[in-house]
């Protein structure tokens, strides 16, 4: 080996290529795919104890599917700071005895506790609309998930740019 | 805990009336440190409920993601004259109460 390189047998080259390909594939995976929990939490698990947004959603859905529509989440597109951001959720529902919204959950992508709040509604409300003010830890997507009386789940998501996060000191 | 509740005094039967409430509370996240570097314990109003004529109409389960001095706005269908009563409790078991009377016509 005049140039000091290791002997390059065919088998050694193959093994190195495979290792390299595996490494490249790992980095090529979307980061989200790695962050997602592999299993749904057990039924009855309190979503507030789950520290991933996907986990919080799954603990509410318990395996059911959610569809986009019927829900409207209103957030400003940008906020100077995340300490107090106005938020309104509206669900297209007659709010009658036969067809009403049972529950609305708000899930944040970046807050230390992803489940911001759960609202429990009923046919006595007349209108499926709730407004509040939320804390947001940075620029992110917020999801509002509604469960209707027929057991179906609907959602809407809104993106917001937050210049100064909540959860910093003074917040 | 002081709170301010706003409800229309009168409503027509069948109308949806708007209930607005602001509660004075720091909604302490548990992520803050004081000047001596001690962590301020988490203390939020975690449960809020509203009854109308004695029947529960709305309930909220909240976390530190709700801003300080929590504000809620929701609707209740006017059925008969009665009190709209809100109750809440924080993690130190301090509770609060606010109510407003609504007169239903028609």
């Amino acid at each position: 080996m005049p140039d000091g390189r290791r002997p390059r047998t065919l088998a050694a080259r193959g093994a190195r290529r495979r290792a390299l390909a595996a490494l490249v594939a790992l980095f090529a995976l979307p980061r989200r795919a790695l962050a997602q929990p592999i299993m749904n939490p057990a039924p009855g698990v309190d979503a507030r104890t789950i520290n991933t947004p996907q986990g919080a959603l799954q603990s509410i859905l318990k395996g059911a599917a959610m569809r986009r529509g019927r829900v409207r989440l209103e957030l400003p597109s940008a906020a100077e700071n995340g300490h107090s951001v106005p938020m309104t959720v509206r669900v297209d529902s007659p709010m009658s005895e036969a067809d009403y919204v049972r529950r609305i959950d708000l899930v944040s992508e970046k807050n230390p506790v992803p489940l911001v709040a759960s609202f429990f509604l009923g046919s006595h409300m007349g209108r499926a609309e709730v407004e509040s003010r939320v804390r947001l830890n940075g620029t992110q997507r917020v999801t509002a998930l509604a469960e209707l009386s027929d057991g179906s789940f609907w959602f809407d998501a809104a993106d917001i740019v937050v210049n100064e996060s909540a959860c910093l000191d003074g917040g | 805990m002081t709170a301010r509740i706003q409800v229309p005094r009168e409503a027509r039967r069948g109308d949806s009336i708007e209930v607005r409430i602001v509660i004075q509370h720091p909604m302490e996240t548990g992520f803050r440190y004081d000047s001596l570097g001690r962590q301020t314990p988490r203390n939020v109003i975690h449960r809020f409920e509203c009854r109308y004529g004695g029947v529960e109409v709305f309930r909220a389960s909240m976390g530190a993601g709700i801003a300080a001095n929590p504000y809620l706005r929701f609707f209740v269908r006017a059925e008969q004259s009665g009190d709209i009563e809100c109750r809440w409790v924080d993690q130190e078991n301090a509770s609060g109460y606010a109510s407003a009377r609504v007169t239903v016509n028609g």
Side-chain angles (χ1 to χ4, degrees):
Chain A
M1 291 178 284
D3 56 359
R5 280 191 292 182
R6 282 182 292 154
R8 298 176 67 184
T9 63
L10 266 174
R13 266 165 70 179
R16 219 166 62 173
R17 268 191 199 163
R18 273 196 299 276
L20 195 69
L23 202 67
V24 167
L26 190 68
F27 281 104
L29 264 179
R31 270 196 293 162
R32 246 158 218 251
L34 290 171
Q36 249 166 17
I38 294 151
M39 278 173 57
N40 293 350
V45 169
D46 187 346
R48 278 174 297 186
T49 63
I50 292 162
N51 56 12
T52 65
Q54 290 85 2
L57 284 173
Q58 285 308 321
S59 74
I60 300 158
L61 291 166
K62 294 189 178 79
M66 61 176 187
R67 276 173 288 176
R68 194 168 192 143
R70 294 191 69 167
V71 183
R72 250 190 85 84
L73 171 63
E74 281 179 23
L75 272 179
S77 55
E80 198 51 53
N81 68 63
H83 298 315
S84 180
V85 181
M87 173 286 309
T88 306
V89 194
R90 273 189 203 101
V91 187
D92 176 19
S93 164
M95 292 304 264
S96 63
E97 289 284 341
D99 183 4
Y100 60 91
V101 179
R102 217 181 264 166
R103 172 177 179 166
I104 296 173
D105 291 277
L106 277 176
V107 178
S108 148
E109 199 179 47
K110 288 213 184 135
N111 282 15
V113 183
L115 185 67
V116 173
S118 305
F119 303 115
F120 299 88
L121 294 81
S123 58
H124 293 291
M125 293 185 80
R127 242 163 105 172
E129 179 175 333
V130 179
E131 182 182 345
S132 188
R133 291 191 285 242
V134 296
R135 286 191 178 113
L136 293 174
N137 185 29
T139 297
Q140 58 178 295
R141 172 164 290 188
V142 181
T143 306
L145 177 65
E147 184 191 2
L148 307 192
S149 52
D150 64 1
S152 63
F153 288 95
W154 299 81
F155 79 99
D156 189 21
D159 293 304
I160 176 166
V161 174
V162 178
N163 289 332
E164 187 201 331
S165 288
C167 312
L168 298 174
D169 211 48
Chain B
M1 275 186 277
T2 48
R4 197 172 133 89
I5 182 167
Q6 282 181 297
V7 174
R9 273 190 202 165
E10 288 184 29
R12 272 188 317 180
R13 195 180 305 276
D15 278 1
S16 286
I17 48 178
E18 191 180 59
V19 180
R20 290 190 291 165
I21 184 163
V22 181
I23 304 164
Q24 272 185 26
H25 194 280
M27 294 295 274
E28 204 53 74
T29 59
F31 300 116
R32 289 200 314 147
Y33 294 87
D34 64 13
S35 52
L36 297 172
R38 289 174 305 203
Q39 198 163 13
T40 313
R42 178 186 167 100
N43 182 26
V44 301
I45 294 174
H46 57 97
R47 194 186 155 89
F48 172 93
E49 61 171 56
C50 177
R51 286 170 180 269
Y52 170 37
V55 178
E56 184 180 288
V57 288
F58 175 70
R59 184 157 55 87
S61 160
M62 305 188 283
I66 295 290
N69 300 324
Y71 163 72
L72 285 169
R73 182 176 68 92
F74 52 91
F75 291 85
V76 171
R77 192 190 295 113
E79 269 149 23
Q80 50 190 313
S81 299
D83 289 328
I84 290 182
E85 301 171 284
C86 296
R87 282 187 178 82
W88 57 90
V89 63
D90 73 8
Q91 287 171 305
E92 288 175 359
N93 262 332
S95 58
Y97 173 83
S99 76
R101 185 158 183 84
V102 59
T103 305
V104 176
N105 307 312

